[in-house]
Amino acid sequence: MAEVNRLHFNEEASTYDAKHSKLNERLTKEIQARLDWIGVEWASVDDDDDSSQDEDEDVDEPDESEDGSEKSLRSAQPRREVRLLDYACGTGMMTRALAPYTTQCVGIDISENMVAAYNSRAEYQGISPDEMHAIVGDLAAADGPQPADLLTHPRLSGRPFDVATVGGGLHHFADPELAAERLARRLRPGGVLLVWDFAPHGPPREDGARYARGGRSVLHHGLSEDRVRAMFERAGVGEGFELVVLGSGVSPGHSHGHDGHDDGEPVRRQVFLARGQKAV
């Protein structure tokens, strides 16, 4: 299944952001509107209603670079250190949604083309690899993380992460529960696991192995709230578990492994966000 996913997303990498621009934009807004709900002590959060300065005071503002790069804004003032691990990161949608509130983002993806796209976008924005960088790897392989030295990589062997994310990846995994467990081990006590994915929208696949051999990268047609809750609890990140369904749904298209149509009509999938905290 891992090889099916790798090949599928290698093919999708160059056009992925364009195909999913509306979905990515919506998810980014939904996530950024729920920073308090996610429950991480972020590096910084803008709050226009809670300013310690009067509007009339003469305040020295940090200068933006000529290109207005995110890097210059992120490094303008000292910030609390907050590390993000973005698993199955793809081109970096979850990273980009949360980067303004963190100090370091590390992506992992099985697709080398997705990792290249992630890193190219960061470089284009002028963000240093120390702040944002992805590596190729499979954290959820049944026989242990791959490559074998993945966890000794300098970007993973530092202090534990404050937040780990999986954006639209669980339904592609052979064993989502194992992935959650492996991610929980990388979190500090009190750290948060945050995922988005699809609610159930079809019968469970009993022919998963044949389906994968046929070149399709989906084994789970959505995940129920009960399953996600049990997954978080088993992984040790069930404290304060919450799951919210976002609006009226989306049309994901075939890049997420769905054909996106039913009898010729676009199919809308319910999307959820779920969060849970590692016990202190």
Side-chain angles (χ1 to χ4, degrees):
M1 189 65 200
E3 182 63 8
V4 171
N5 281 330
R6 186 183 74 83
L7 294 174
H8 173 76
F9 286 105
N10 272 346
E11 291 180 1
E12 294 291 334
S14 63
T15 57
Y16 189 87
D17 285 337
K19 287 179 180 178
H20 297 284
S21 59
K22 290 184 179 179
L23 174 60
N24 289 346
E25 181 179 349
R26 176 179 172 186
L27 286 168
T28 296
K29 290 180 179 178
E30 295 279 5
I31 289 167
Q32 292 180 342
R34 291 175 168 81
L35 294 177
D36 289 342
W37 174 81
I38 294 169
V40 174
E41 291 188 37
W42 302 107
S44 63
V45 178
D46 292 333
D47 188 346
D48 294 335
D49 296 326
D50 186 24
S51 173
S52 61
Q53 301 286 349
D54 293 330
E55 291 184 4
D56 295 334
E57 288 189 64
D58 189 12
V59 179
D60 292 332
E61 297 290 344
D63 294 332
E64 291 188 27
S65 64
E66 291 183 0
D67 62 357
S69 70
E70 183 178 346
K71 176 177 182 291
S72 65
L73 298 176
R74 285 164 59 88
S75 59
Q77 57 186 352
R79 312 163 82 218
R80 180 189 299 112
E81 184 180 359
V82 178
R83 299 187 76 211
L84 163 71
L85 176 59
D86 187 358
Y87 186 57
C89 62
T91 62
M93 175 258 144
M94 295 292 276
T95 289
R96 292 191 296 276
L98 294 173
Y101 318 107
T102 66
T103 54
Q104 185 184 50
C105 302
V106 178
I108 305 177
D109 202 284
I110 198 169
S111 162
E112 56 267 31
N113 290 357
M114 286 289 192
V115 166
Y118 178 112
N119 290 335
S120 292
R121 288 194 62 147
E123 181 179 3
Y124 179 78
Q125 290 177 292
I127 303 173
S128 76
D130 287 339
E131 291 182 272
M132 186 182 293
H133 190 77
I135 58 178
V136 177
D138 183 359
L139 193 62
D143 54 350
Q146 299 296 321
D149 62 351
L150 178 64
L151 297 183
T152 63
H153 191 286
R155 301 193 188 282
L156 296 178
S157 58
R159 78 169 184 84
F161 290 87
D162 301 278
V163 55
T165 62
V166 183
L170 292 179
H171 65 278
H172 293 285
F173 298 163
D175 191 343
E177 284 76 11
L178 177 60
E181 288 182 13
R182 297 267 175 86
L183 286 169
R185 294 176 193 171
R186 313 259 57 86
L187 287 171
R188 66 167 176 80
V192 171
L193 177 62
L194 173 71
V195 306
W196 79 257
D197 217 294
F198 300 113
H201 51 268
R205 296 208 66 87
E206 298 178 357
D207 60 342
R210 179 180 63 79
Y211 192 69
R213 286 196 299 272
R216 303 297 294 275
S217 66
V218 171
L219 284 179
H220 315 279
H221 281 196
L223 297 100
S224 69
E225 180 171 354
D226 287 345
R227 182 176 182 182
V228 177
R229 181 187 299 274
M231 181 190 308
F232 275 55
E233 291 176 348
R234 171 180 156 181
V237 288
E239 235 179 66
F241 174 85
E242 288 190 64
L243 184 149
V244 293
V245 176
L246 307 180
S248 60
V250 300
S251 298
H254 68 276
S255 293
H256 274 286
H258 304 272
D259 58 17
H261 293 77
D262 183 12
D263 296 328
E265 295 297 324
V267 174
R268 296 188 70 79
R269 313 293 192 200
Q270 291 287 339
V271 174
F272 68 80
L273 281 172
R275 58 85 62 200
Q277 197 164 356
K278 187 173 181 175
V280 177

